[in-house]
Amino acid sequence: MEAFLVSTGIVALAEIGDKTQLLAFILAAKFRKPIPIVAGILVATVANHAFAGALGSWITSIMAPQTMRWILGISFIGMAVWTLIPDKLDEEEAKLAKYGVFGTTLIAFFLAEMGDKTQVATVALAAQYQAFVSVVAGTTLGMMIANVPAVFLGDRIAHKMPVRLVHAIAACIFAILGIATLLGLGKELGL
């Protein structure tokens, strides 16, 4: 349960102001059809995060625990720094309208998530917790928590959200996970 909750919380916070959330705002404004947009986000996220979770689980099977501890600790600290860097949306990611609302959202979100901080976080969390289903379910829920309101409320909430504060909180959580992992405190903290 802890892997699910931590994964949900970290990704929901990290996703605020992320390029995929900006993409959700753009798609909502362009198409004004929230249900196929939300469905596209869900399918793209499940596919992307399942791949990332599988990669994280596989990595733990081929590396020694001590090596994994260092890689994960440094990865989480790197994620903390990356979370503080504002994202920019590539306009090409929003120009896929020829595939319909669902198809455009699915393709755009899947591509936007490739190598994105929430995908990298999913790899690290799956490796850390060794709980593929819980991590993928949690990171997917975190994405939906951040992006569904963006689709339905759009501009009404975009300017009222304290993005810097939310990113700072997410960065602190990543940094704490990184430091705890490097110090070998994972088992004592339930990580």
Side-chain angles (χ1 to χ4, degrees):
M1 186 64 153
E2 184 176 332
F4 173 77
L5 294 174
V6 170
S7 297
T8 301
I10 283 180
V11 169
L13 289 171
E15 184 64 14
I16 302 297
D18 189 70
K19 69 180 175 184
T20 47
Q21 189 180 52
L22 299 173
L23 181 59
F25 283 125
I26 288 170
L27 291 168
K30 180 175 182 137
F31 293 118
R32 300 187 190 280
K33 294 184 179 181
I35 300 302
I37 294 170
V38 169
I41 292 170
L42 177 62
V43 172
T45 301
V46 168
N48 194 291
H49 288 204
F51 169 75
L55 181 62
S57 296
W58 174 73
I59 288 171
T60 60
S61 71
I62 63 168
M63 291 194 178
Q66 190 67 6
T67 304
M68 275 307 301
R69 187 177 101 199
W70 283 97
I71 290 171
L72 287 172
I74 292 167
S75 295
F76 282 127
I77 291 170
M79 291 300 301
V81 172
W82 192 3
T83 300
L84 296 174
I85 299 169
D87 266 335
K88 292 183 174 79
L89 178 65
D90 181 359
E91 289 300 316
E92 291 300 312
E93 292 170 340
K95 292 183 179 178
L96 298 166
K98 64 183 175 184
Y99 299 108
V101 179
F102 174 80
T104 297
T105 304
L106 175 70
I107 294 166
F109 258 79
F110 186 83
L111 293 175
E113 269 298 291
M114 293 303 289
D116 193 48
K117 64 183 149 230
T118 49
Q119 186 190 40
V120 174
T122 303
V123 172
L125 289 163
Q128 175 79 7
Y129 284 106
Q130 299 177 15
F132 172 80
V133 173
S134 296
V135 168
V136 172
T139 59
T140 299
L141 179 60
M143 286 285 288
M144 300 310 287
I145 287 169
N147 288 307
V148 170
V151 172
F152 282 100
L153 301 176
D155 289 334
R156 287 177 265 169
I157 64 167
H159 303 294
K160 295 179 183 177
M161 202 168 295
V163 175
R164 293 179 106 186
L165 175 62
V166 172
H167 281 201
I169 292 168
C172 285
I173 293 169
F174 278 126
I176 290 167
L177 283 172
I179 292 167
T181 301
L182 288 174
L183 294 175
L185 300 174
K187 298 211 185 310
E188 291 82 5
L189 296 175
L191 300 174

